[in-house]
Amino acid sequence: MNRTNVIIAIALLGLSGYVLIESMGLSFGGLRTPRAGFFPAILSAVLAVLSLVLLVQATKEKEATACPFRLGAESWRRIGFAVGVLLAFGFAVDFLG
């Protein structure tokens, strides 16, 4: 059992429950005319289902042997490229409007 995934799954399940309860105070609407509570309710339900899937997977898997997470040079280049693209996009949007 992977304790980290169990803790994250429980935390996300609690968050989805909170958002679902809070979104019930808003008007839901329908599929054709969604109102303010439509998307928070749907997204919190999806988050709850995915959290339950993570919880089931985390409880079924065996504890992995200690394998350190290391990034190689290629990984750092990809991360740097992604950060650079995001920064360039942010400056371009600000500059171009």
Side-chain angles (χ1 to χ4, degrees), residues 21-41:
I21 290 170
E22 289 296 319
S23 68
M24 290 300 149
L26 302 170
S27 59
F28 187 77
L31 290 175
R32 291 190 184 263
T33 57
R35 297 203 144 206
F38 182 77
F39 287 110

Side-chain angles (χ1 to χ4, degrees), residues 30-78:
L31 290 175
R32 291 190 184 263
T33 57
R35 297 203 144 206
F38 182 77
F39 287 110
I42 297 298
L43 291 178
S44 65
V46 169
L47 181 61
V49 169
L50 293 176
S51 299
L52 288 173
V53 168
L54 177 62
L55 187 62
V56 168
Q57 285 180 350
T59 54
K60 284 189 175 185
E61 73 181 17
K62 296 178 182 176
E63 189 67 34
T65 58
C67 180
F69 181 73
R70 297 181 188 196
L71 295 175
E74 180 65 26
S75 298
W76 283 111
R77 274 186 288 236
R78 289 182 180 183

Side-chain angles (χ1 to χ4, degrees), residues 2-26:
N2 192 346
R3 284 184 53 199
T4 305
N5 284 346
V6 171
I7 292 169
I8 295 296
I10 291 171
L12 289 175
L13 194 58
L15 176 68
S16 68
Y18 174 75
V19 171
L20 185 61
I21 290 170
E22 289 296 319
S23 68
M24 290 300 149
L26 302 170

